[in-house]
Amino acid sequence: MNRDRARAASGNGSANRMLSKRQSRRKFLKHAGAALAAGAFGAVPLRGYAADAINIGALYPTTGGMAQIGVGCVAAAKLAVEMINEAGGIKSLGGAKLNLIVSDVQSDTTVTRTETDRLITSNKLSAIHGCFASALTLIASEVCERAKVPIITGSSSDQLNKGRTYTFTPFARASQFARAQLQMLKLVSDQPKVAVVFENTAFGTSTSNGLKELAPGEGVEIVMFEPYSAGFTDASPLINKVKASGANALFSVSYLNDLILIVRTVKQVGLNIAINGGSGGFVIPDFYKNVGKLAEGLQGVAHWNHDMDANAEKVNAEYKKRTGEFLFEYAGGLVAQTFMIADALERAASSDPQKVREALSALDVSSGFAAMAPGGKVKFGPDGKNVYGRPLGVQWQNGDLASVFPKEDARAALMKS
């Protein structure tokens, strides 16, 4: 009898703890969404009917070589939609809830084209977000432009802001990343000589060309400028060239798997060189998981980081509860993008993609989760680019990614080796 009571008490205790966790989670979602509704949308009375759900498309690679990032983005997208829906949905549309429709683009450019077209033709969409990888987003945005469906993206290629009217980029561009990397380098070297290695994709070529063009004006000498085939299996020939170049710093414009191989190879050949991993694979938790202490002190750039403001820290805490990892650049930026879409829907009072595009083009926020970007402001210019967009300089410190540059955005001091 006593054992039965003990087991029952234990069961009740576990149930109470689970209930407490669920209540805590609901409290976060309610308060987070309520802050957005009050700050960004204003008080709008609910209509007296059940509104139809609003479909938002999500294009992300959840299989293939980019799946590590894509899976995290989908988790963040679901969190953002849940936050908005828990807060009452889109008030000007009778409390309509957002319905996220995810499409796996399989880390493949051909699949991206067909999946974007299928997503649009098979569903009544108000907007799309995706894909984070510029090579994929350039294709997806072409399809969206033809279909006249707005797409908002964290991709950094400057090409996305040329000749497009339905594409919106709320964060820093590749050319801005390049300048930030060059400026950060001068903090650690008086006579910087840089080897630039980059994958031969839209992301790699656009970012590296920005480095090459801006280096002379920043007082940085580029002594090696070398493309490589993305997804290579042996970095030794490339790193031996870096070693022979006389460079005292290495800029690697690479996604995750390539960057892991490059960093490991630098260590294996005994090359003592400062590394700035840029964006891409450098800024996600899996990078540290794979290279461990080799990551400590390495620098990079990002368009978003989880320590940059109070809203980012709140969302990061919830995301970490769900996934066990910090909210990385692309996923965190995606939360902000979802709130930007919600803001546009609220002001448009319509789910029509043309009206949503018009509302996005007039977006001008400086508070709430929709403004969760470096500097805390988002306003789109005629080319769909955030006029306030700027990158953050980041550094791996004690297994976490800390914002260290520029001074006004720094949340930790730069570690010098």
CSV table of all heavy atoms in Angstrom, one decimal, residues 353-407:
chain,number,residue,atom,x,y,z
A,353,PRO,N,-1.4,38.2,-51.9
A,353,PRO,CA,0.1,38.4,-52.0
A,353,PRO,C,0.5,39.8,-52.6
A,353,PRO,O,1.6,40.3,-52.1
A,353,PRO,CB,0.6,37.2,-52.9
A,353,PRO,CG,-0.7,36.8,-53.6
A,353,PRO,CD,-1.8,37.0,-52.7
A,354,GLN,N,-0.3,40.3,-53.5
A,354,GLN,CA,0.1,41.6,-54.0
A,354,GLN,C,0.0,42.7,-52.9
A,354,GLN,O,0.9,43.6,-52.8
A,354,GLN,CB,-0.8,42.0,-55.2
A,354,GLN,CG,-0.6,43.4,-55.8
A,354,GLN,CD,0.8,43.6,-56.3
A,354,GLN,OE1,1.3,42.7,-57.0
A,354,GLN,NE2,1.4,44.7,-56.0
A,355,LYS,N,-1.1,42.6,-52.1
A,355,LYS,CA,-1.2,43.6,-51.0
A,355,LYS,C,-0.2,43.4,-49.9
A,355,LYS,O,0.3,44.3,-49.3
A,355,LYS,CB,-2.6,43.5,-50.5
A,355,LYS,CG,-3.7,44.0,-51.5
A,355,LYS,CD,-5.1,44.0,-50.9
A,355,LYS,CE,-6.1,44.5,-51.9
A,355,LYS,NZ,-7.5,44.5,-51.4
A,356,VAL,N,0.2,42.1,-49.7
A,356,VAL,CA,1.2,41.8,-48.7
A,356,VAL,C,2.6,42.4,-49.2
A,356,VAL,O,3.3,42.9,-48.4
A,356,VAL,CB,1.3,40.3,-48.5
A,356,VAL,CG1,2.5,40.0,-47.5
A,356,VAL,CG2,0.0,39.8,-47.8
A,357,ARG,N,2.8,42.2,-50.5
A,357,ARG,CA,4.1,42.8,-51.1
A,357,ARG,C,4.1,44.3,-50.9
A,357,ARG,O,5.1,44.9,-50.5
A,357,ARG,CB,4.2,42.5,-52.6
A,357,ARG,CG,5.5,42.9,-53.2
A,357,ARG,CD,5.5,43.4,-54.6
A,357,ARG,NE,4.9,44.7,-54.7
A,357,ARG,CZ,5.6,45.8,-54.5
A,357,ARG,NH1,6.9,45.7,-54.3
A,357,ARG,NH2,5.1,47.0,-54.6
A,358,GLU,N,3.0,45.0,-51.1
A,358,GLU,CA,2.9,46.4,-50.9
A,358,GLU,C,3.2,46.8,-49.5
A,358,GLU,O,3.9,47.8,-49.2
A,358,GLU,CB,1.6,47.0,-51.4
A,358,GLU,CG,1.4,46.8,-52.9
A,358,GLU,CD,0.0,47.1,-53.4
A,358,GLU,OE1,-0.9,47.5,-52.5
A,358,GLU,OE2,-0.3,47.1,-54.6
A,359,ALA,N,2.6,46.0,-48.6
A,359,ALA,CA,2.8,46.3,-47.1
A,359,ALA,C,4.3,46.0,-46.7
A,359,ALA,O,4.8,46.8,-45.9
A,359,ALA,CB,1.8,45.5,-46.3
A,360,LEU,N,4.9,45.0,-47.2
A,360,LEU,CA,6.3,44.7,-46.9
A,360,LEU,C,7.2,45.8,-47.4
A,360,LEU,O,8.1,46.3,-46.8
A,360,LEU,CB,6.7,43.4,-47.6
A,360,LEU,CG,6.4,42.1,-46.8
A,360,LEU,CD1,6.7,40.9,-47.6
A,360,LEU,CD2,7.2,42.1,-45.5
A,361,SER,N,6.9,46.4,-48.6
A,361,SER,CA,7.7,47.4,-49.2
A,361,SER,C,7.6,48.7,-48.3
A,361,SER,O,8.5,49.5,-48.4
A,361,SER,CB,7.3,47.7,-50.6
A,361,SER,OG,6.0,48.3,-50.7
A,362,ALA,N,6.5,48.8,-47.5
A,362,ALA,CA,6.4,50.0,-46.7
A,362,ALA,C,6.8,49.7,-45.2
A,362,ALA,O,6.6,50.5,-44.3
A,362,ALA,CB,4.9,50.5,-46.7
A,363,LEU,N,7.3,48.5,-45.0
A,363,LEU,CA,7.7,48.1,-43.6
A,363,LEU,C,8.7,49.1,-43.0
A,363,LEU,O,9.7,49.5,-43.7
A,363,LEU,CB,8.3,46.7,-43.6
A,363,LEU,CG,8.7,46.2,-42.2
A,363,LEU,CD1,7.5,45.7,-41.5
A,363,LEU,CD2,9.7,45.0,-42.4
A,364,ASP,N,8.5,49.5,-41.8
A,364,ASP,CA,9.4,50.5,-41.1
A,364,ASP,C,9.2,50.2,-39.6
A,364,ASP,O,8.3,50.8,-39.0
A,364,ASP,CB,9.1,51.9,-41.5
A,364,ASP,CG,10.1,52.9,-41.0
A,364,ASP,OD1,11.0,52.5,-40.2
A,364,ASP,OD2,10.0,54.1,-41.3
A,365,VAL,N,10.0,49.4,-39.1
A,365,VAL,CA,9.9,49.0,-37.7
A,365,VAL,C,11.1,49.2,-36.9
A,365,VAL,O,12.3,49.1,-37.4
A,365,VAL,CB,9.5,47.5,-37.5
A,365,VAL,CG1,8.0,47.3,-38.0
A,365,VAL,CG2,10.4,46.6,-38.2
A,366,SER,N,11.0,49.6,-35.6
A,366,SER,CA,12.1,49.8,-34.7
A,366,SER,C,11.9,49.2,-33.3
A,366,SER,O,12.6,49.6,-32.4
A,366,SER,CB,12.4,51.3,-34.6
A,366,SER,OG,11.3,52.0,-34.2
A,367,SER,N,10.9,48.4,-33.2
A,367,SER,CA,10.6,47.7,-31.9
A,367,SER,C,9.9,46.4,-32.2
A,367,SER,O,9.4,46.1,-33.3
A,367,SER,CB,9.7,48.6,-31.0
A,367,SER,OG,8.4,48.8,-31.6
A,368,GLY,N,9.9,45.5,-31.2
A,368,GLY,CA,9.3,44.2,-31.4
A,368,GLY,C,10.2,43.2,-32.1
A,368,GLY,O,11.3,43.5,-32.5
A,369,PHE,N,9.6,42.0,-32.3
A,369,PHE,CA,10.4,40.9,-32.9
A,369,PHE,C,10.6,41.1,-34.4
A,369,PHE,O,11.6,40.6,-35.0
A,369,PHE,CB,9.7,39.6,-32.7
A,369,PHE,CG,9.7,39.2,-31.2
A,369,PHE,CD1,8.6,39.4,-30.4
A,369,PHE,CD2,10.7,38.5,-30.7
A,369,PHE,CE1,8.5,39.1,-29.1
A,369,PHE,CE2,10.7,38.2,-29.3
A,369,PHE,CZ,9.6,38.4,-28.5
A,370,ALA,N,9.8,41.9,-35.1
A,370,ALA,CA,10.0,42.2,-36.5
A,370,ALA,C,11.2,43.1,-36.7
A,370,ALA,O,11.8,43.2,-37.8
A,370,ALA,CB,8.8,42.9,-37.1
A,371,ALA,N,11.6,43.8,-35.6
A,371,ALA,CA,12.8,44.7,-35.7
A,371,ALA,C,14.1,44.0,-35.1
A,371,ALA,O,15.1,44.7,-34.9
A,371,ALA,CB,12.6,46.0,-34.9
A,372,MET,N,14.0,42.7,-35.0
A,372,MET,CA,15.1,42.0,-34.4
A,372,MET,C,16.2,41.7,-35.4
A,372,MET,O,16.4,40.7,-36.0
A,372,MET,CB,14.5,40.6,-33.9
A,372,MET,CG,15.4,39.9,-32.9
A,372,MET,SD,14.5,38.6,-32.1
A,372,MET,CE,13.8,37.6,-33.4
A,373,ALA,N,17.0,42.8,-35.6
A,373,ALA,CA,18.1,42.8,-36.5
A,373,ALA,C,19.2,43.7,-35.9
A,373,ALA,O,18.9,44.5,-35.0
A,373,ALA,CB,17.7,43.4,-37.9
A,374,PRO,N,20.4,43.6,-36.4
A,374,PRO,CA,21.5,44.4,-35.9
A,374,PRO,C,21.1,45.9,-36.0
A,374,PRO,O,20.7,46.4,-37.1
A,374,PRO,CB,22.7,44.1,-36.7
A,374,PRO,CG,22.5,42.7,-37.1
A,374,PRO,CD,21.0,42.5,-37.3
A,375,GLY,N,21.2,46.7,-34.9
A,375,GLY,CA,20.8,48.1,-34.9
A,375,GLY,C,19.3,48.3,-34.6
A,375,GLY,O,18.9,49.4,-34.3
A,376,GLY,N,18.5,47.2,-34.6
A,376,GLY,CA,17.1,47.3,-34.2
A,376,GLY,C,16.2,48.0,-35.1
A,376,GLY,O,15.1,48.5,-34.6
A,377,LYS,N,16.5,48.1,-36.4
A,377,LYS,CA,15.6,48.8,-37.3
A,377,LYS,C,15.6,48.0,-38.6
A,377,LYS,O,16.6,47.5,-39.1
A,377,LYS,CB,16.1,50.2,-37.6
A,377,LYS,CG,16.1,51.2,-36.4
A,377,LYS,CD,16.6,52.5,-36.9
A,377,LYS,CE,16.6,53.6,-35.8
A,377,LYS,NZ,17.0,54.9,-36.2
A,378,VAL,N,14.3,48.0,-39.2
A,378,VAL,CA,14.2,47.4,-40.5
A,378,VAL,C,13.3,48.3,-41.3
A,378,VAL,O,12.1,48.6,-40.9
A,378,VAL,CB,13.6,46.0,-40.5
A,378,VAL,CG1,13.4,45.4,-41.9
A,378,VAL,CG2,14.5,45.1,-39.6
A,379,LYS,N,13.8,48.8,-42.5
A,379,LYS,CA,13.0,49.6,-43.4
A,379,LYS,C,13.5,49.2,-44.8
A,379,LYS,O,14.7,49.3,-45.1
A,379,LYS,CB,13.1,51.1,-43.1
A,379,LYS,CG,12.4,51.9,-44.1
A,379,LYS,CD,12.6,53.4,-43.8
A,379,LYS,CE,11.9,54.3,-44.8
A,379,LYS,NZ,12.1,55.8,-44.5
A,380,PHE,N,12.6,48.8,-45.7
A,380,PHE,CA,13.0,48.4,-47.0
A,380,PHE,C,13.0,49.5,-48.0
A,380,PHE,O,12.1,50.3,-48.0
A,380,PHE,CB,12.0,47.3,-47.6
A,380,PHE,CG,12.1,46.0,-46.8
A,380,PHE,CD1,11.0,45.5,-46.1
A,380,PHE,CD2,13.3,45.3,-46.8
A,380,PHE,CE1,11.1,44.3,-45.5
A,380,PHE,CE2,13.4,44.1,-46.0
A,380,PHE,CZ,12.3,43.6,-45.4
A,381,GLY,N,14.1,49.6,-48.7
A,381,GLY,CA,14.2,50.6,-49.8
A,381,GLY,C,13.6,50.1,-51.1
A,381,GLY,O,13.0,49.0,-51.1
A,382,PRO,N,13.6,50.8,-52.2
A,382,PRO,CA,13.0,50.4,-53.4
A,382,PRO,C,13.5,49.1,-54.0
A,382,PRO,O,12.8,48.4,-54.7
A,382,PRO,CB,13.3,51.6,-54.4
A,382,PRO,CG,13.6,52.8,-53.5
A,382,PRO,CD,14.2,52.2,-52.3
A,383,ASP,N,14.7,48.7,-53.6
A,383,ASP,CA,15.3,47.5,-54.1
A,383,ASP,C,15.1,46.3,-53.2
A,383,ASP,O,15.6,45.2,-53.4
A,383,ASP,CB,16.8,47.6,-54.3
A,383,ASP,CG,17.6,48.1,-53.1
A,383,ASP,OD1,16.9,48.3,-52.0
A,383,ASP,OD2,18.8,48.2,-53.1
A,384,GLY,N,14.2,46.5,-52.2
A,384,GLY,CA,13.9,45.4,-51.3
A,384,GLY,C,14.9,45.2,-50.2
A,384,GLY,O,14.8,44.2,-49.4
A,385,LYS,N,15.9,46.0,-50.1
A,385,LYS,CA,17.0,45.9,-49.1
A,385,LYS,C,16.8,46.7,-47.9
A,385,LYS,O,16.3,47.9,-48.0
A,385,LYS,CB,18.3,46.3,-49.8
A,385,LYS,CG,19.6,46.2,-48.9
A,385,LYS,CD,20.8,46.4,-49.7
A,385,LYS,CE,20.9,47.7,-50.4
A,385,LYS,NZ,22.2,47.8,-51.2
A,386,ASN,N,17.0,46.2,-46.7
A,386,ASN,CA,16.9,47.0,-45.5
A,386,ASN,C,17.9,48.1,-45.5
A,386,ASN,O,19.1,47.9,-45.5
A,386,ASN,CB,17.1,46.1,-44.3
A,386,ASN,CG,17.1,46.8,-43.0
A,386,ASN,OD1,16.6,48.0,-42.9
A,386,ASN,ND2,17.5,46.2,-41.9
A,387,VAL,N,17.5,49.4,-45.5
A,387,VAL,CA,18.4,50.5,-45.5
A,387,VAL,C,19.2,50.6,-44.3
A,387,VAL,O,20.3,51.3,-44.3
A,387,VAL,CB,17.6,51.8,-45.7
A,387,VAL,CG1,16.8,51.8,-47.0
A,387,VAL,CG2,16.6,52.1,-44.6
A,388,TYR,N,18.8,49.9,-43.2
A,388,TYR,CA,19.6,49.9,-42.0
A,388,TYR,C,20.5,48.7,-41.8
A,388,TYR,O,21.1,48.5,-40.8
A,388,TYR,CB,18.7,50.1,-40.8
A,388,TYR,CG,17.8,51.3,-40.7
A,388,TYR,CD1,16.4,51.2,-40.8
A,388,TYR,CD2,18.4,52.6,-40.6
A,388,TYR,CE1,15.6,52.3,-40.8
A,388,TYR,CE2,17.6,53.7,-40.6
A,388,TYR,CZ,16.2,53.6,-40.7
A,388,TYR,OH,15.4,54.7,-40.7
A,389,GLY,N,20.4,47.8,-42.8
A,389,GLY,CA,21.1,46.5,-42.6
A,389,GLY,C,22.6,46.6,-42.4
A,389,GLY,O,23.2,47.4,-43.1
A,390,ARG,N,23.1,45.8,-41.5
A,390,ARG,CA,24.5,45.8,-41.2
A,390,ARG,C,24.9,44.5,-40.5
A,390,ARG,O,24.0,43.9,-39.9
A,390,ARG,CB,25.0,47.0,-40.4
A,390,ARG,CG,24.5,47.0,-38.9
A,390,ARG,CD,24.9,48.2,-38.2
A,390,ARG,NE,24.7,48.2,-36.8
A,390,ARG,CZ,24.2,49.1,-36.0
A,390,ARG,NH1,23.8,50.2,-36.6
A,390,ARG,NH2,24.1,49.0,-34.7
A,391,PRO,N,26.1,44.0,-40.7
A,391,PRO,CA,26.5,42.7,-40.1
A,391,PRO,C,27.0,42.9,-38.7
A,391,PRO,O,27.4,44.0,-38.3
A,391,PRO,CB,27.6,42.2,-41.1
A,391,PRO,CG,28.2,43.5,-41.6
A,391,PRO,CD,27.1,44.5,-41.6
A,392,LEU,N,27.2,41.8,-38.0
A,392,LEU,CA,27.8,41.7,-36.8
A,392,LEU,C,29.1,40.9,-36.9
A,392,LEU,O,29.2,40.0,-37.7
A,392,LEU,CB,27.0,41.0,-35.7
A,392,LEU,CG,25.6,41.5,-35.4
A,392,LEU,CD1,24.8,40.5,-34.6
A,392,LEU,CD2,25.8,42.8,-34.5
A,393,GLY,N,30.2,41.3,-36.2
A,393,GLY,CA,31.4,40.5,-36.1
A,393,GLY,C,31.2,39.6,-34.9
A,393,GLY,O,30.8,40.1,-33.8
A,394,VAL,N,31.5,38.3,-35.1
A,394,VAL,CA,31.3,37.4,-34.0
A,394,VAL,C,32.5,36.5,-33.8
A,394,VAL,O,33.4,36.5,-34.6
A,394,VAL,CB,30.1,36.4,-34.3
A,394,VAL,CG1,28.8,37.2,-34.3
A,394,VAL,CG2,30.3,35.7,-35.6
A,395,GLN,N,32.6,35.9,-32.6
A,395,GLN,CA,33.8,35.1,-32.2
A,395,GLN,C,33.4,34.0,-31.4
A,395,GLN,O,32.5,34.1,-30.5
A,395,GLN,CB,34.8,36.0,-31.5
A,395,GLN,CG,36.1,35.3,-31.2
A,395,GLN,CD,37.1,36.2,-30.5
A,395,GLN,OE1,36.8,36.9,-29.6
A,395,GLN,NE2,38.4,36.2,-31.0
A,396,TRP,N,34.0,32.8,-31.6
A,396,TRP,CA,33.7,31.6,-30.7
A,396,TRP,C,34.4,31.8,-29.4
A,396,TRP,O,35.6,32.0,-29.4
A,396,TRP,CB,34.2,30.4,-31.4
A,396,TRP,CG,33.2,29.9,-32.4
A,396,TRP,CD1,33.3,30.0,-33.8
A,396,TRP,CD2,32.0,29.2,-32.2
A,396,TRP,NE1,32.2,29.4,-34.4
A,396,TRP,CE2,31.4,28.9,-33.4
A,396,TRP,CE3,31.3,28.8,-31.0
A,396,TRP,CZ2,30.2,28.3,-33.6
A,396,TRP,CZ3,30.1,28.1,-31.2
A,396,TRP,CH2,29.5,27.9,-32.4
A,397,GLN,N,33.6,31.9,-28.3
A,397,GLN,CA,34.2,32.0,-27.0
A,397,GLN,C,33.5,31.0,-26.0
A,397,GLN,O,32.3,31.1,-25.9
A,397,GLN,CB,34.0,33.5,-26.5
A,397,GLN,CG,34.7,34.5,-27.3
A,397,GLN,CD,34.5,35.9,-26.7
A,397,GLN,OE1,33.9,36.1,-25.7
A,397,GLN,NE2,35.1,36.9,-27.4
A,398,ASN,N,34.3,30.1,-25.5
A,398,ASN,CA,33.8,29.2,-24.5
A,398,ASN,C,32.6,28.4,-25.1
A,398,ASN,O,31.6,28.2,-24.4
A,398,ASN,CB,33.4,29.9,-23.2
A,398,ASN,CG,34.5,30.6,-22.6
A,398,ASN,OD1,35.6,30.1,-22.5
A,398,ASN,ND2,34.3,31.8,-22.2
A,399,GLY,N,32.7,28.0,-26.3
A,399,GLY,CA,31.7,27.1,-26.9
A,399,GLY,C,30.4,27.9,-27.4
A,399,GLY,O,29.4,27.2,-27.8
A,400,ASP,N,30.4,29.2,-27.3
A,400,ASP,CA,29.3,30.0,-27.7
A,400,ASP,C,29.8,31.0,-28.7
A,400,ASP,O,31.0,31.4,-28.8
A,400,ASP,CB,28.6,30.6,-26.5
A,400,ASP,CG,27.2,31.1,-26.7
A,400,ASP,OD1,26.7,30.8,-27.8
A,400,ASP,OD2,26.6,31.7,-25.9
A,401,LEU,N,28.8,31.6,-29.4
A,401,LEU,CA,29.1,32.6,-30.4
A,401,LEU,C,28.8,34.0,-29.8
A,401,LEU,O,27.6,34.3,-29.6
A,401,LEU,CB,28.3,32.3,-31.7
A,401,LEU,CG,28.9,32.9,-33.0
A,401,LEU,CD1,30.3,32.3,-33.3
A,401,LEU,CD2,28.0,32.5,-34.2
A,402,ALA,N,29.8,34.8,-29.7
A,402,ALA,CA,29.6,36.1,-29.0
A,402,ALA,C,29.7,37.3,-30.1
A,402,ALA,O,30.6,37.2,-30.9
A,402,ALA,CB,30.6,36.4,-27.9
A,403,SER,N,28.9,38.3,-29.9
A,403,SER,CA,29.0,39.5,-30.8
A,403,SER,C,30.1,40.4,-30.3
A,403,SER,O,30.1,40.8,-29.1
A,403,SER,CB,27.7,40.3,-30.8
A,403,SER,OG,26.6,39.5,-31.3
A,404,VAL,N,31.1,40.7,-31.1
A,404,VAL,CA,32.3,41.4,-30.7
A,404,VAL,C,32.6,42.7,-31.5
A,404,VAL,O,33.5,43.4,-31.2
A,404,VAL,CB,33.5,40.5,-30.7
A,404,VAL,CG1,33.4,39.4,-29.6
A,404,VAL,CG2,33.8,39.9,-32.0
A,405,PHE,N,31.8,42.9,-32.6
A,405,PHE,CA,32.1,44.0,-33.5
A,405,PHE,C,30.9,44.3,-34.3
A,405,PHE,O,30.1,43.4,-34.6
A,405,PHE,CB,33.3,43.5,-34.5
A,405,PHE,CG,33.7,44.5,-35.5
A,405,PHE,CD1,34.6,45.5,-35.1
A,405,PHE,CD2,33.1,44.6,-36.8
A,405,PHE,CE1,35.1,46.5,-36.1
A,405,PHE,CE2,33.5,45.6,-37.7
A,405,PHE,CZ,34.5,46.5,-37.3
A,406,PRO,N,30.7,45.6,-34.6
A,406,PRO,CA,31.5,46.8,-34.2
A,406,PRO,C,31.2,47.1,-32.7
A,406,PRO,O,30.4,46.5,-32.1
A,406,PRO,CB,30.9,47.9,-35.1
A,406,PRO,CG,29.5,47.5,-35.4
A,406,PRO,CD,29.6,46.0,-35.5
A,407,LYS,N,31.8,48.2,-32.3
A,407,LYS,CA,31.8,48.5,-30.9
A,407,LYS,C,30.4,48.7,-30.3
A,407,LYS,O,30.1,48.2,-29.2
A,407,LYS,CB,32.6,49.8,-30.6
A,407,LYS,CG,32.8,50.2,-29.1
A,407,LYS,CD,33.7,51.4,-29.0
A,407,LYS,CE,33.9,51.7,-27.5
A,407,LYS,NZ,34.7,52.9,-27.3
